[in-house]
Amino acid sequence: MSKFWSRFVNDLVPYVPGEQPKVARLVKLNTNESPYGPSPKAIAAMQAELTDDLRLYPDPSGDRLRQSVARYYGIEANEVFVGNGSDEVLAHAFQGLFQHEAPLLFPDISYSFYPVYCGLYGIDYEAIPLDESFAIRASDYARANGGIIFPNPNAPTGRLLALEVVEEILAASPDSVVLVDEAYIDFGGQSAISLIRRYPNLLVTQTLSKSRALAGLRVGFAVGHPDLIEALERIKNSFNSYPLDRVALAGAAAAFDDVDYFEQSCSKVIDSRGVLTRELEALGFDVLPSAANFVFASHPKRDAGALAASLREQGIIVRHFKQPRIAQHLRITVGTPEQNAALIEALRGL
Ligand SMILES: *Cc1c(COP(=O)(O)O)cnc(C)c1O
């Protein structure tokens, strides 16, 4: 603490991101980045932006990118909000849509940024336990609330909630915003974006960090009724009018337009996830069914923390959360076939 801090800063419990190691040559399976690069067309579009025009501010509303997202999903640009990573979009949603009397509801095992935003914005919340199979039970959310948020597929479990069940949750809370964080939806789920016209209380967020391999560019977006989008715009324009720079806007739009490349990368990851799951199971791991670009695995006889530490010594990093209920699990990002093989080889030797 310092006497110069605003008082609340001392009470913040900030998010701890997965390690971004400074040493090269590691097999990095800890933060769910894509093992494949972004679309070559996105790279070319970003290179084309590196001109004297960088002296000019970017388009504050990111219209070209909003149109690309809208075209892809068959919706209107005024149903799309774009921001500096979906983390920033989520932050705006917490501040603009979740500050109410009743508590915000989210699963006890979920994206650990949610309680951090609650702390930052003074939002009361209740963590609802997942069932024994780490699944979200829709009926648990049918109660008084000031909003509901969950990732689908959930992180770090990878479990997917069927769209009918998402709809059940939406229908039971028509007077509060239900935010579906679809950071991993492209790896095997059906997006709830198809429901936004029927549910004005639905906000869906997505990111270009995972399935479009642009984690380093920082681009995310939200989709929903124009009234919800307007709340996010109002916050954004009271915070930072230009969250996305010229390079990011051009690269993200081109990545969205390159549907073939996107689909190919996703299917490669999905295929590798199947192989990785079978190989982990052959080594005695229990692996939850995953619809994401990672798997969540535990071994009945091996301590997860010790396994993660031993892998680290061999240059392979996976994510281990020292958290109740999941302290014996490892979250392993699906890498290239070669990276996955290196992981399996290392585990065999442990
Ligand atoms: C990765 C992730 C995000 C954040 O994505 P960015 O766009 O990189 O900020 C949001 N939610 C979940 C569940 C994630 O795993």
Short mmCIF file of all heavy atoms in Angstrom, two decimals, residues 105 136-143 145 148 150 152 161-180 192 195 198-199 201-202:
data_model
loop_
_atom_site.label_atom_id
_atom_site.label_comp_id
_atom_site.label_asym_id
_atom_site.label_seq_id
_atom_site.Cartn_x
_atom_site.Cartn_y
_atom_site.Cartn_z
N LEU A 105 -24.66 -14.13 -10.63
CA LEU A 105 -24.45 -15.56 -10.45
C LEU A 105 -23.46 -16.08 -11.50
O LEU A 105 -23.58 -15.73 -12.68
CB LEU A 105 -25.77 -16.33 -10.61
CG LEU A 105 -26.98 -15.89 -9.80
CD1 LEU A 105 -28.18 -16.81 -10.09
CD2 LEU A 105 -26.68 -15.89 -8.29
N ILE A 136 -22.83 -27.46 -15.58
CA ILE A 136 -23.72 -26.40 -15.09
C ILE A 136 -25.14 -26.97 -15.05
O ILE A 136 -25.59 -27.60 -16.01
CB ILE A 136 -23.65 -25.18 -16.04
CG1 ILE A 136 -22.29 -24.48 -15.90
CG2 ILE A 136 -24.82 -24.22 -15.78
CD1 ILE A 136 -22.06 -23.36 -16.92
N ARG A 137 -25.83 -26.78 -13.92
CA ARG A 137 -27.22 -27.22 -13.79
C ARG A 137 -28.11 -26.01 -13.95
O ARG A 137 -28.08 -25.10 -13.10
CB ARG A 137 -27.43 -27.83 -12.40
CG ARG A 137 -28.07 -29.19 -12.39
CD ARG A 137 -28.27 -29.73 -10.99
NE ARG A 137 -27.47 -29.06 -9.97
CZ ARG A 137 -26.67 -29.69 -9.11
NH1 ARG A 137 -26.59 -31.00 -9.10
NH2 ARG A 137 -26.00 -29.02 -8.20
N ALA A 138 -28.91 -25.98 -15.03
CA ALA A 138 -29.70 -24.78 -15.36
C ALA A 138 -30.62 -24.36 -14.22
O ALA A 138 -30.75 -23.17 -13.93
CB ALA A 138 -30.50 -25.03 -16.63
N SER A 139 -31.22 -25.35 -13.54
CA SER A 139 -32.20 -25.02 -12.51
C SER A 139 -31.59 -24.22 -11.35
O SER A 139 -32.28 -23.46 -10.67
CB SER A 139 -32.85 -26.31 -11.98
OG SER A 139 -31.85 -27.18 -11.51
N ASP A 140 -30.27 -24.37 -11.13
CA ASP A 140 -29.61 -23.62 -10.06
C ASP A 140 -29.62 -22.11 -10.29
O ASP A 140 -29.39 -21.33 -9.36
CB ASP A 140 -28.14 -24.05 -9.93
CG ASP A 140 -27.98 -25.47 -9.43
OD1 ASP A 140 -28.99 -26.03 -8.94
OD2 ASP A 140 -26.88 -26.02 -9.52
N TYR A 141 -29.85 -21.71 -11.56
CA TYR A 141 -29.77 -20.29 -11.89
C TYR A 141 -31.15 -19.63 -11.95
O TYR A 141 -31.25 -18.43 -12.19
CB TYR A 141 -29.02 -20.11 -13.22
CG TYR A 141 -27.55 -20.50 -13.07
CD1 TYR A 141 -27.16 -21.84 -13.12
CD2 TYR A 141 -26.59 -19.55 -12.82
CE1 TYR A 141 -25.85 -22.22 -12.93
CE2 TYR A 141 -25.26 -19.90 -12.64
CZ TYR A 141 -24.90 -21.24 -12.69
OH TYR A 141 -23.59 -21.60 -12.51
N ALA A 142 -32.19 -20.44 -11.73
CA ALA A 142 -33.56 -19.92 -11.78
C ALA A 142 -33.91 -19.35 -10.41
O ALA A 142 -34.67 -19.94 -9.64
CB ALA A 142 -34.52 -21.04 -12.18
N ARG A 143 -33.32 -18.21 -10.07
CA ARG A 143 -33.60 -17.55 -8.79
C ARG A 143 -33.23 -16.08 -8.92
O ARG A 143 -32.60 -15.68 -9.91
CB ARG A 143 -32.80 -18.21 -7.68
CG ARG A 143 -31.31 -18.21 -7.99
CD ARG A 143 -30.56 -18.15 -6.71
NE ARG A 143 -29.68 -19.30 -6.54
CZ ARG A 143 -28.75 -19.36 -5.60
NH1 ARG A 143 -28.64 -18.40 -4.73
NH2 ARG A 143 -27.95 -20.39 -5.52
N ASN A 145 -31.62 -12.74 -9.24
CA ASN A 145 -30.23 -12.41 -9.54
C ASN A 145 -30.13 -11.07 -10.22
O ASN A 145 -31.10 -10.57 -10.80
CB ASN A 145 -29.61 -13.52 -10.41
CG ASN A 145 -30.23 -13.58 -11.80
OD1 ASN A 145 -29.95 -12.74 -12.65
ND2 ASN A 145 -31.10 -14.56 -12.02
N ILE A 148 -26.34 -13.03 -14.83
CA ILE A 148 -25.75 -14.38 -14.86
C ILE A 148 -24.65 -14.36 -15.90
O ILE A 148 -24.81 -13.78 -16.97
CB ILE A 148 -26.82 -15.44 -15.24
CG1 ILE A 148 -27.93 -15.50 -14.18
CG2 ILE A 148 -26.18 -16.81 -15.47
CD1 ILE A 148 -29.12 -16.37 -14.57
N PHE A 150 -21.56 -17.09 -17.59
CA PHE A 150 -20.79 -18.36 -17.60
C PHE A 150 -20.13 -18.51 -18.97
O PHE A 150 -20.66 -18.03 -19.96
CB PHE A 150 -21.71 -19.56 -17.30
CG PHE A 150 -22.90 -19.69 -18.20
CD1 PHE A 150 -22.82 -20.39 -19.39
CD2 PHE A 150 -24.11 -19.08 -17.87
CE1 PHE A 150 -23.93 -20.50 -20.23
CE2 PHE A 150 -25.22 -19.17 -18.70
CZ PHE A 150 -25.13 -19.88 -19.89
N ASN A 152 -19.19 -20.72 -22.17
CA ASN A 152 -19.69 -21.91 -22.85
C ASN A 152 -18.93 -22.11 -24.14
O ASN A 152 -19.05 -21.28 -25.03
CB ASN A 152 -21.19 -21.81 -23.14
CG ASN A 152 -21.78 -23.17 -23.47
OD1 ASN A 152 -21.36 -24.18 -22.90
ND2 ASN A 152 -22.71 -23.22 -24.40
N LEU A 161 -22.36 -26.67 -22.72
CA LEU A 161 -23.78 -26.69 -22.35
C LEU A 161 -24.57 -26.62 -23.66
O LEU A 161 -24.32 -25.73 -24.48
CB LEU A 161 -24.06 -25.46 -21.49
CG LEU A 161 -25.24 -25.48 -20.54
CD1 LEU A 161 -25.13 -26.64 -19.56
CD2 LEU A 161 -25.31 -24.16 -19.77
N ALA A 162 -25.53 -27.54 -23.84
CA ALA A 162 -26.32 -27.54 -25.08
C ALA A 162 -27.11 -26.23 -25.18
O ALA A 162 -27.49 -25.65 -24.17
CB ALA A 162 -27.27 -28.73 -25.10
N LEU A 163 -27.34 -25.80 -26.41
CA LEU A 163 -28.01 -24.52 -26.63
C LEU A 163 -29.41 -24.48 -25.98
O LEU A 163 -29.84 -23.44 -25.48
CB LEU A 163 -28.10 -24.26 -28.15
CG LEU A 163 -28.27 -22.82 -28.58
CD1 LEU A 163 -27.21 -21.91 -27.99
CD2 LEU A 163 -28.26 -22.73 -30.11
N GLU A 164 -30.09 -25.63 -25.94
CA GLU A 164 -31.43 -25.67 -25.30
C GLU A 164 -31.30 -25.33 -23.81
O GLU A 164 -32.21 -24.73 -23.23
CB GLU A 164 -32.08 -27.06 -25.40
CG GLU A 164 -32.22 -27.63 -26.78
CD GLU A 164 -30.94 -28.35 -27.20
OE1 GLU A 164 -30.66 -29.44 -26.69
OE2 GLU A 164 -30.22 -27.79 -28.06
N VAL A 165 -30.21 -25.75 -23.20
CA VAL A 165 -30.04 -25.49 -21.77
C VAL A 165 -29.69 -24.02 -21.54
O VAL A 165 -30.16 -23.38 -20.60
CB VAL A 165 -28.98 -26.44 -21.15
CG1 VAL A 165 -28.92 -26.26 -19.65
CG2 VAL A 165 -29.27 -27.88 -21.52
N VAL A 166 -28.88 -23.45 -22.44
CA VAL A 166 -28.59 -22.01 -22.37
C VAL A 166 -29.91 -21.25 -22.46
O VAL A 166 -30.16 -20.30 -21.70
CB VAL A 166 -27.65 -21.59 -23.53
CG1 VAL A 166 -27.50 -20.07 -23.57
CG2 VAL A 166 -26.28 -22.27 -23.40
N GLU A 167 -30.78 -21.71 -23.34
CA GLU A 167 -32.07 -21.05 -23.54
C GLU A 167 -32.94 -21.16 -22.29
O GLU A 167 -33.64 -20.20 -21.94
CB GLU A 167 -32.77 -21.67 -24.76
CG GLU A 167 -33.90 -20.81 -25.26
CD GLU A 167 -34.41 -21.20 -26.63
OE1 GLU A 167 -33.85 -22.11 -27.27
OE2 GLU A 167 -35.40 -20.57 -27.06
N GLU A 168 -32.87 -22.29 -21.63
CA GLU A 168 -33.61 -22.47 -20.37
C GLU A 168 -33.18 -21.41 -19.34
O GLU A 168 -34.01 -20.82 -18.64
CB GLU A 168 -33.23 -23.85 -19.79
CG GLU A 168 -34.36 -24.76 -19.42
CD GLU A 168 -33.78 -26.10 -18.96
OE1 GLU A 168 -33.46 -26.94 -19.83
OE2 GLU A 168 -33.62 -26.28 -17.74
N ILE A 169 -31.87 -21.18 -19.24
CA ILE A 169 -31.35 -20.20 -18.30
C ILE A 169 -31.82 -18.79 -18.68
O ILE A 169 -32.24 -18.01 -17.82
CB ILE A 169 -29.80 -20.28 -18.24
CG1 ILE A 169 -29.37 -21.64 -17.66
CG2 ILE A 169 -29.21 -19.13 -17.42
CD1 ILE A 169 -27.87 -21.92 -17.71
N LEU A 170 -31.80 -18.50 -19.97
CA LEU A 170 -32.25 -17.19 -20.46
C LEU A 170 -33.73 -16.96 -20.16
O LEU A 170 -34.12 -15.88 -19.72
CB LEU A 170 -32.09 -17.13 -21.98
CG LEU A 170 -30.70 -16.82 -22.51
CD1 LEU A 170 -30.59 -17.23 -23.97
CD2 LEU A 170 -30.42 -15.33 -22.36
N ALA A 171 -34.52 -18.00 -20.41
CA ALA A 171 -35.97 -17.87 -20.26
C ALA A 171 -36.36 -17.70 -18.79
O ALA A 171 -37.35 -17.04 -18.48
CB ALA A 171 -36.67 -19.08 -20.87
N ALA A 172 -35.57 -18.27 -17.89
CA ALA A 172 -35.91 -18.21 -16.46
C ALA A 172 -35.55 -16.86 -15.83
O ALA A 172 -36.01 -16.56 -14.73
CB ALA A 172 -35.20 -19.34 -15.71
N SER A 173 -34.72 -16.05 -16.49
CA SER A 173 -34.32 -14.75 -15.93
C SER A 173 -34.50 -13.63 -16.94
O SER A 173 -33.53 -12.96 -17.31
CB SER A 173 -32.86 -14.79 -15.47
OG SER A 173 -32.70 -15.61 -14.35
N PRO A 174 -35.75 -13.40 -17.37
CA PRO A 174 -35.97 -12.42 -18.44
C PRO A 174 -35.64 -10.98 -18.02
O PRO A 174 -35.46 -10.12 -18.88
CB PRO A 174 -37.47 -12.56 -18.77
CG PRO A 174 -38.07 -13.15 -17.53
CD PRO A 174 -37.01 -14.01 -16.92
N ASP A 175 -35.54 -10.75 -16.70
CA ASP A 175 -35.31 -9.38 -16.24
C ASP A 175 -33.86 -9.09 -15.88
O ASP A 175 -33.56 -8.05 -15.32
CB ASP A 175 -36.21 -9.08 -15.03
CG ASP A 175 -37.68 -9.13 -15.43
OD1 ASP A 175 -37.99 -8.71 -16.58
OD2 ASP A 175 -38.50 -9.62 -14.63
N SER A 176 -32.97 -10.04 -16.20
CA SER A 176 -31.56 -9.71 -16.00
C SER A 176 -30.75 -10.19 -17.20
O SER A 176 -31.19 -11.04 -17.98
CB SER A 176 -31.02 -10.29 -14.70
OG SER A 176 -31.42 -11.62 -14.53
N VAL A 177 -29.57 -9.61 -17.32
CA VAL A 177 -28.71 -9.94 -18.46
C VAL A 177 -28.03 -11.28 -18.21
O VAL A 177 -27.50 -11.53 -17.13
CB VAL A 177 -27.65 -8.84 -18.69
CG1 VAL A 177 -26.60 -9.30 -19.69
CG2 VAL A 177 -28.32 -7.56 -19.17
N VAL A 178 -28.09 -12.14 -19.21
CA VAL A 178 -27.36 -13.40 -19.18
C VAL A 178 -26.23 -13.28 -20.19
O VAL A 178 -26.47 -13.08 -21.39
CB VAL A 178 -28.28 -14.59 -19.53
CG1 VAL A 178 -27.47 -15.89 -19.59
CG2 VAL A 178 -29.43 -14.70 -18.53
N LEU A 179 -25.00 -13.31 -19.69
CA LEU A 179 -23.84 -13.15 -20.57
C LEU A 179 -23.20 -14.52 -20.80
O LEU A 179 -22.77 -15.17 -19.85
CB LEU A 179 -22.84 -12.18 -19.94
CG LEU A 179 -21.80 -11.54 -20.89
CD1 LEU A 179 -21.11 -10.35 -20.22
CD2 LEU A 179 -20.76 -12.50 -21.40
N VAL A 180 -23.17 -14.95 -22.04
CA VAL A 180 -22.53 -16.22 -22.39
C VAL A 180 -21.17 -15.90 -23.00
O VAL A 180 -21.09 -15.27 -24.06
CB VAL A 180 -23.40 -17.05 -23.36
CG1 VAL A 180 -22.77 -18.42 -23.59
CG2 VAL A 180 -24.83 -17.20 -22.82
N ALA A 192 -24.74 -19.12 -29.12
CA ALA A 192 -26.02 -18.56 -28.70
C ALA A 192 -26.36 -17.27 -29.47
O ALA A 192 -27.43 -16.68 -29.26
CB ALA A 192 -26.00 -18.29 -27.19
N LEU A 195 -29.67 -16.72 -30.88
CA LEU A 195 -30.82 -16.45 -30.00
C LEU A 195 -31.01 -14.97 -29.66
O LEU A 195 -31.97 -14.62 -28.96
CB LEU A 195 -30.65 -17.23 -28.67
CG LEU A 195 -30.53 -18.75 -28.74
CD1 LEU A 195 -30.26 -19.32 -27.34
CD2 LEU A 195 -31.80 -19.36 -29.32
N ARG A 198 -34.41 -13.28 -30.10
CA ARG A 198 -35.51 -13.78 -29.26
C ARG A 198 -35.34 -13.40 -27.80
O ARG A 198 -36.30 -13.38 -27.03
CB ARG A 198 -35.61 -15.31 -29.38
CG ARG A 198 -36.67 -15.72 -30.40
CD ARG A 198 -36.93 -17.20 -30.35
NE ARG A 198 -35.84 -17.93 -30.95
CZ ARG A 198 -35.50 -19.18 -30.63
NH1 ARG A 198 -36.19 -19.82 -29.69
NH2 ARG A 198 -34.50 -19.78 -31.22
N TYR A 199 -34.10 -13.14 -27.39
CA TYR A 199 -33.83 -12.83 -25.98
C TYR A 199 -33.07 -11.51 -25.85
O TYR A 199 -31.85 -11.47 -25.96
CB TYR A 199 -33.03 -13.97 -25.32
CG TYR A 199 -33.83 -15.25 -25.26
CD1 TYR A 199 -33.73 -16.20 -26.27
CD2 TYR A 199 -34.71 -15.49 -24.21
CE1 TYR A 199 -34.48 -17.37 -26.24
CE2 TYR A 199 -35.47 -16.65 -24.17
CZ TYR A 199 -35.35 -17.58 -25.18
OH TYR A 199 -36.09 -18.74 -25.14
N ASN A 201 -32.29 -10.04 -23.38
CA ASN A 201 -31.43 -10.06 -22.18
C ASN A 201 -30.16 -10.86 -22.42
O ASN A 201 -29.39 -11.09 -21.49
CB ASN A 201 -32.19 -10.66 -20.98
CG ASN A 201 -32.66 -12.09 -21.21
OD1 ASN A 201 -32.99 -12.45 -22.34
ND2 ASN A 201 -32.70 -12.89 -20.16
N LEU A 202 -29.93 -11.30 -23.66
CA LEU A 202 -28.74 -12.13 -23.94
C LEU A 202 -27.60 -11.30 -24.51
O LEU A 202 -27.77 -10.57 -25.49
CB LEU A 202 -29.13 -13.23 -24.97
CG LEU A 202 -27.95 -14.00 -25.60
CD1 LEU A 202 -27.15 -14.77 -24.55
CD2 LEU A 202 -28.47 -14.96 -26.68
#
